[in-house]
Amino acid sequence: MNQVISKWNGLGLVTRIVIGLVIGALLGIFAPADLPVIPLLGTLFVGALKAVAPILVFFLVSATLANAKTSGSMKTIVIMYVCSTLVAALVAVVASFISPTILTLDISGVEKAAPSGIGEVLTTLVTNAFTNPVTALMNANYIGILTWAVALGIALRAAKEATRDVFTDISNCVAKIVRWVISLAPFGILGLVYSSIAENGIDIFYEYGHLILVLVAVMLICALVTNPIMAFIIMGKNPFPLVLRTLKDSGLYAFFTRSSAANIPVNMDLCEKLGLDKNSYSLSIPLGATINMAGAAITITVMSMAAAATMGISVDPVSAVLLCVLAAISACGASGVPGGSLLLIPLACSLFGISNDIAMQCVAIGLIIGVIQDSCETALNSSSDVLFTAVADYRAKIKAGIDVMPGKDAVYEAPVKPVAETVLE
């Protein structure tokens, strides 16, 4: 038995999730539909996620803001990080309007009280934001949790470093608990897939396929359209050689590691090959692994829009913009945690009054499709860290009169001096 457990733990999480998914699908097709133990695995897994997610959001956001560091040289990079995340959320909203996704969720006993208009949405938003923080944690009121986490994080910037380190340590400990829960995902997904197929048949996979197509399509648009446009505006040169280089040398590795943090050494090495300023990229790359989360914003937005469509909630343009801003802000706290962006879906869903029970079912679906979704999300996040760092560096070099070739390994030389200066020397 010890050998079996050891071999199981030796497999990668993706492999284990695929195994759980396949076994759950086979049991759903061939096994009796009334096996009580198998659905219990999914129920317990979703319950564990519901329990830990509010604490995770609170400490992750507060610790991130308390320890965020920027400098004057980082201004351009940080602006691009923030703008790309917001633009990604906007593209995700547009895609969700064009091709809405209806999910199969257990909504029995859940009121489908859709907001009557933007006034009700804003009233609910403000009311939830200023609720008692303890009550917000107890009731999984993610708007309130986010509000108090942001306030505490900003206030902690004036605290001693030791105090900020305490919050960072607590955040890391909560993240470790999340990793323990996520490590049980194969068993939870087994139960969830079994229940879904037993109740709805094999057609449930067409629904998941549509959701994956929307997510991947939006991520490709951001990687190959919106990010290059932003890079061209800032740099003034053809960005595609650099875009393709970052996708090949950074995005490909991140696709398989599925961790922006684990891909930091790869990105640092690529920045060195591109001849970038080490004083800049030594700060921007780790910072990007924390706050440059366009892929996470896409996942949060698409899944929240799918939940709203399933519940019959009509999302007006102003509410959609609010969702984009909320997704962009919350995505900054998704780094370093496997499936971290999924655990922030309830935060966005709460904007439309969608209950935590429904939102957590969306999280579970996200874990089922996470084999593809999380890989593409990480590839977009990590490759754009290098892209925007390089664009800011090239912009500074171009202003200094240095000729650059974006995406090429190069040693940049000083500008050629006028003949008169050379003669005088």
Side-chain angles (χ1 to χ4, degrees):
M1 180 59 70
N2 289 335
Q3 291 182 348
V4 172
I5 295 175
S6 178
K7 288 183 179 180
W8 173 257
N9 291 332
L11 297 174
L13 180 61
V14 174
T15 304
R16 284 181 281 163
I17 288 177
V18 171
I19 292 173
L21 194 155
V22 172
I23 294 175
L26 293 175
L27 289 174
I29 295 171
F30 299 109
D34 57 350
L35 294 177
V37 177
I38 300 177
L40 181 61
L41 295 174
T43 302
L44 292 175
F45 178 64
V46 173
L49 290 174
K50 287 166 61 178
V52 74
I55 304 172
L56 172 70
V57 171
F58 181 80
F59 283 105
L60 207 57
V61 173
S62 58
T64 299
L65 286 175
N67 293 281
K69 298 178 181 178
T70 59
S71 62
S73 61
M74 290 289 296
K75 182 178 179 180
T76 303
I77 298 174
V78 171
I79 290 174
M80 284 191 288
Y81 282 168
V82 173
C83 289
S84 67
T85 303
L86 184 58
V87 168
L90 287 168
V91 174
V93 165
V94 173
S96 296
F97 277 129
I98 294 173
S99 182
T101 302
I102 305 297
L103 303 174
T104 301
L105 304 174
D106 181 11
I107 58 176
S108 57
V110 178
E111 295 183 4
K112 300 183 185 180
S116 59
I118 184 58
E120 184 178 343
V121 171
L122 291 175
T123 300
T124 302
L125 182 66
V126 174
T127 303
N128 288 338
F130 293 98
T131 191
N132 185 295
V134 177
T135 304
L137 284 168
M138 290 176 59
N139 297 331
N141 171 8
Y142 287 91
I143 299 296
I145 292 170
L146 181 64
T147 301
W148 291 107
V150 169
L152 182 60
I154 294 174
L156 282 171
R157 295 179 67 84
K160 295 180 180 179
E161 185 175 355
T163 304
R164 297 198 302 271
D165 289 342
V166 169
F167 275 78
T168 300
D169 291 340
I170 294 175
S171 175
N172 292 335
C173 290
V174 176
K176 182 175 288 187
I177 294 174
V178 173
R179 291 188 183 96
W180 292 343
V181 175
I182 296 296
S183 68
L184 300 175
F187 304 103
I189 287 174
L190 188 155
L192 293 168
V193 171
Y194 166 80
S195 299
S196 297
I197 294 180
E199 294 173 8
N200 305 288
I202 198 70
D203 291 342
I204 195 71
F205 284 108
Y206 292 106
E207 177 183 299
Y208 295 160
H210 179 267
L211 184 58
I212 291 172
L213 285 176
V214 173
L215 285 166
V216 174
V218 174
M219 292 179 190
L220 285 174
I221 290 171
C222 290
L224 299 175
V225 180
T226 60
N227 282 356
I229 290 174
M230 193 180 304
F232 175 76
I233 292 172
I234 299 296
M235 184 173 57
K237 281 182 170 285
N238 178 13
F240 282 100
L242 177 61
V243 170
L244 297 177
R245 176 71 184 274
T246 56
L247 288 172
K248 178 175 71 73
D249 288 4
S250 173
L252 191 60
Y253 283 97
F255 182 88
F256 291 104
T257 62
R258 301 171 74 228
S259 170
S260 295
N263 213 49
I264 287 176
V266 175
N267 284 350
M268 300 279 273
D269 183 60
L270 177 56
C271 287
E272 183 177 356
K273 289 179 180 178
L274 294 174
L276 307 183
D277 181 6
K278 187 173 183 179
N279 291 327
S280 177
Y281 73 72
S282 62
L283 177 60
S284 68
I285 296 301
L287 181 66
T290 303
I291 68 169
N292 184 31
M293 292 287 148
I298 291 168
T299 299
I300 294 167
T301 304
V302 169
M303 296 299 290
S304 301
M305 292 289 287
T310 302
M311 297 296 293
I313 298 173
S314 178
V315 181
D316 57 79
V318 179
S319 298
V321 173
L322 285 176
L323 173 61
C324 293
V325 175
L326 189 61
I329 294 173
S330 58
C332 295
S335 62
V337 181
S341 61
L342 299 176
L343 294 177
L344 294 166
I345 291 171
L347 173 62
C349 285
S350 64
L351 179 66
F352 306 116
I354 299 173
S355 70
N356 196 37
D357 290 335
I358 298 299
M360 279 304 170
Q361 292 181 55
C362 296
V363 173
I365 291 174
L367 287 167
I368 292 173
I369 65 172
V371 175
I372 298 175
Q373 168 267 327
D374 196 32
S375 296
C376 294
E377 176 184 311
T378 309
L380 173 62
N381 292 340
S382 190
S383 62
S384 60
D385 290 348
V386 182
L387 173 65
F388 295 137
T389 299
V391 167
D393 187 274
Y394 291 156
R395 180 173 182 264
K397 287 185 169 69
I398 291 170
K399 281 189 172 183
I402 301 174
D403 187 26
V404 299
M405 294 183 293
K408 298 289 183 67
D409 292 350
V411 177
Y412 300 110
E413 298 179 356
V416 177
K417 296 180 179 180
V419 176
E421 290 187 17
T422 305
V423 172
L424 288 175
E425 289 181 355

